[in-house]
Amino acid sequence: MKKYKESFKTILDRLHLSIKKNNLKNSKQREFVLKAIYDDGGHLSPEDIFAITRKTCKNSSVSSIYRILSFLEKEGFVSSIEVDKTGKRYEIASGLHHDHIICLECGRIEEFYNDEIEKLQIDVVGSYNAKLVGHDMLLYVVCEDCLKR
């Protein structure tokens, strides 16, 4: 399981405040979706999340999962990456920047952080007299295991 800078309880407390701020009703289903992503620690598709939450929330539907994910992303609880044509994958928005390496064969996603790459990006942006406000790096590969097959 992935380590986060916030405990699940802290994230849940923030979720409750966000629900109140948006004048929404409390929904256990939102909590189940957030918990599934938090516990997995990986990059889950809406269908993966549906399969996990369906075990504890029988009235769950794929469309409700999509609506919940949209809300959670808009409110900054989760972030998404589009790895291929199958759609978005979701992870907890930990606030800790990282980039992704994605295998085009098996779909495995690895996270990485590299100080040199980060510095180069700042230097490139600086050469344009601009300010970097965010970025996502996705490196598409065929992983070692897939190359062996």
Side-chain angles (χ1 to χ4, degrees), residues 97 118 121-122 125-126 130-136:
H97 173 75
E118 297 303 315
Q121 290 171 337
I122 292 168
V125 169
K131 177 185 175 192
L132 182 64
V133 293
H135 74 279
D136 293 313

Side-chain angles (χ1 to χ4, degrees), residues 1 4-16 28 30-39 77 92:
M1 182 164 78
Y4 300 107
K5 73 177 194 179
E6 286 183 292
S7 70
F8 184 70
K9 182 186 178 330
T10 303
I11 294 171
L12 211 51
D13 289 345
R14 285 194 307 111
L15 175 65
H16 293 146
K28 281 291 182 196
R30 281 189 205 98
E31 294 177 18
F32 291 143
V33 167
L34 206 50
K35 182 88 169 123
I37 300 168
Y38 187 90
D39 286 349
F77 292 97
I92 294 294

